[in-house]
Amino acid sequence: MSELLPVVPPATNLMPEPHVLWESDRPELVALRYEARRRIASPWAVLGAAIARALLTIPHTVRYRSALHPEGTPLNLAIALVGRSGSGKSTAIRGAACAVEFMGEDVPTPAAARSGEGIATMLARMHTTKGEDPELIWSRHDHATWLHWDEVGQLGEQGARTGSTVMESIKSVTSGESIGGQNAKGDGVTIPGGSYRAVLTVAVQPGRAGPLLSDGALAGGLSARFVWMLAEDPAAADAARPEATHAPIQVPLSQWDRVQFVDALPVMDAAHEADTRAAHRGERDPINSRVLLNRAIIAIALANMAGRSTLADDDWYLAGAVLAHSLNTLDTVSDTLTAPDDAELERAQRVEQRLMERLGQMRAQGMAFMDARRRLSRPQGNLLTTMLHDGRFAQW
């Protein structure tokens, strides 16, 4: 008698379109949209900052629990605020604070770390008393930190330094793993895994997003950690500023008392299972490896803004709209990175034109082609070889 095989759900993508988020009448989303229009800012950037704030007000001991991970997953998140310099990323952070106020909140001030070890020391330090074991002293009672880089180039420069661990630390932080460590002298600090809450925001100019989307970042899983939110939205330029005022939404935090886990909805468990099976079949792009986890964490942030510690179907649905926007934004950034740089093209055209002029002068002097070629510098010779190969120049 054959054994009954379990029913395996198919891998499906049921994310709604991004616009459905702003069609919602949830008071907190209405308030965020109001602040965005009042400040002529991107509502997506304001929402990204609000999500960061919402997660930082949830106790660090609270985890997201699904059927595949009954031990729970930390609610840490990384957000890329995408736009050119001066597109209003700082304005978005201020707008989010004015739109949704958590009662009794004490949200950490965004700050940048200079190294991977610096992230650990922002959270805590080791206190040593003679004759006693070292003690870990937390910088904040809630074990929370908000890491923020105003320029992705600055983060990339830190990551490129010899011996730098900042990029690996970002991956560890978003997973809630142990960070820091001691050197040979015993100096330093180690932050235990699962003992802290952290959000990261990075201002990303599309053309400079290489540190987050390089081959190494893709292969190592760094790229998958980020949710991508537009800080520069053409629709914001045309939206009328509201005439009426809108009071901020007041959100209590007492709903988190004695809460240890936020449990996945059945639809979320089914999605995680289908996605995991798809990954084993090689059907999932590595850059999408954390899409569903990020969606779940955003759903929890939305629930918190609504004053709940339990998830509703609407939280998961609207979080899907956020992730759909994130994937669209990621595609735009990737296209910008792969597009040819106009300045570089102009420079190459000038170099090629100068080479053509020099060859023309030597030919006019009656010089044989091979003699003229020998007079070229090595870079000019290499360029001439390419032009000959491509049929853009013919020897005489």
Side-chain angles (χ1 to χ4, degrees), residues 3 25 38 50 70 96 101 109 151 169 260-262 265 278 341 358 376 381:
E3 296 182 359
D25 60 358
R38 183 168 78 92
E101 296 179 355
T109 301
E151 299 285 345
S169 293
Q260 184 177 3
F261 296 108
V262 179
L265 300 168
D341 183 85
R358 185 178 183 193
L376 299 177

Side-chain angles (χ1 to χ4, degrees), residues 215-257:
D215 290 342
L218 288 166
L222 176 66
S223 307
R225 311 284 166 151
F226 282 83
V227 175
W228 303 78
M229 310 287 275
L230 278 180
E232 190 175 28
D233 185 1
D238 300 325
R241 295 186 69 238
E243 296 181 359
T245 60
H246 191 289
I249 302 299
Q250 301 283 337
V251 181
L253 291 173
S254 57
Q255 69 267 20
W256 296 106
D257 293 346

Side-chain angles (χ1 to χ4, degrees), residues 34 38 103 141 235 335 375:
Y34 164 80
R38 183 168 78 92
M103 299 176 66
H141 66 91
D335 289 345
R375 289 177 176 246

Side-chain angles (χ1 to χ4, degrees), residues 171-323:
K171 291 194 293 183
S172 298
V173 164
T174 51
S175 296
E177 299 170 357
S178 174
I179 57 174
Q182 276 76 39
N183 57 27
K185 297 180 180 179
D187 299 326
V189 59
T190 298
I191 306 297
S195 65
Y196 59 92
R197 169 79 68 250
V199 297
L200 298 88
T201 49
V202 182
V204 177
Q205 298 77 39
R208 302 187 66 192
L212 301 184
L213 291 175
S214 65
D215 290 342
L218 288 166
L222 176 66
S223 307
R225 311 284 166 151
F226 282 83
V227 175
W228 303 78
M229 310 287 275
L230 278 180
E232 190 175 28
D233 185 1
D238 300 325
R241 295 186 69 238
E243 296 181 359
T245 60
H246 191 289
I249 302 299
Q250 301 283 337
V251 181
L253 291 173
S254 57
Q255 69 267 20
W256 296 106
D257 293 346
R258 296 181 296 279
V259 174
Q260 184 177 3
F261 296 108
V262 179
D263 287 317
L265 300 168
V267 65
M268 298 167 70
D269 277 328
H272 287 308
E273 180 176 344
D275 182 65
T276 302
R277 293 183 184 277
H280 282 290
R281 293 193 296 266
E283 298 171 355
R284 185 181 69 189
D285 191 321
I287 200 171
N288 295 330
S289 61
R290 280 179 61 101
V291 163
L292 290 184
L293 176 57
N294 286 342
R295 181 178 177 179
I297 292 173
I298 289 172
I300 294 170
L302 293 175
N304 189 25
M305 283 188 260
R308 291 181 280 104
S309 61
T310 56
L311 289 170
D313 289 338
D314 194 47
D315 301 321
W316 177 246
Y317 179 72
L318 294 177
V322 177
L323 263 296

Side-chain angles (χ1 to χ4, degrees), residues 48-68:
I51 289 170
R53 289 173 50 80
L55 294 174
L56 288 167
T57 61
I58 300 175
H60 73 275
T61 53
V62 176
R63 290 175 166 241
Y64 167 60
R65 180 167 62 184
S66 63
L68 292 183

Side-chain angles (χ1 to χ4, degrees), residues 23-38:
E23 294 170 356
S24 170
D25 60 358
R26 288 174 60 151
E28 60 277 10
L29 295 179
V30 172
L32 290 169
R33 187 168 62 246
Y34 164 80
E35 279 297 331
R37 288 179 176 173
R38 183 168 78 92

